[in-house]
Amino acid sequence: MHSELPASPGTVRMPEHRVAISERGSFAFATCSCGWYSPARRSRDLVRREADDHLALVLAEGGDGPG
């Protein structure tokens, strides 16, 4: 799952944010290419929601810099 704004004339393209969900034992966590990461959780659904929230926050803030 990742967020990427389309490049079109007259717009600034935001740095790409690529989020990955990983599992280690009975825990899951999300990491983003910007350096953001979620805490390890047993609930995979919660980790996915946190990753979606991170991407939404990046888009809401204009996508400039690490989130």
Side-chain angles (χ1 to χ4, degrees):
M1 152 179 33
H2 73 279
S3 172
E4 185 174 330
L5 294 177
S8 61
T11 62
V12 176
R13 188 169 180 266
M14 76 177 228
E16 212 169 285
H17 286 259
R18 293 190 182 272
V19 175
I21 307 294
S22 303
E23 294 185 9
R24 189 169 293 153
S26 60
F27 291 91
F29 57 95
T31 57
C32 182
S33 58
C34 73
W36 172 88
Y37 58 93
S38 73
R41 308 231 186 243
R42 289 185 186 267
S43 171
R44 276 99 178 119
D45 288 337
L46 179 56
V47 170
R48 284 189 288 271
R49 282 195 307 266
E50 289 173 337
D52 289 342
D53 289 347
H54 167 69
L55 293 176
L57 181 63
V58 167
L59 288 174
E61 292 179 348
D64 54 353

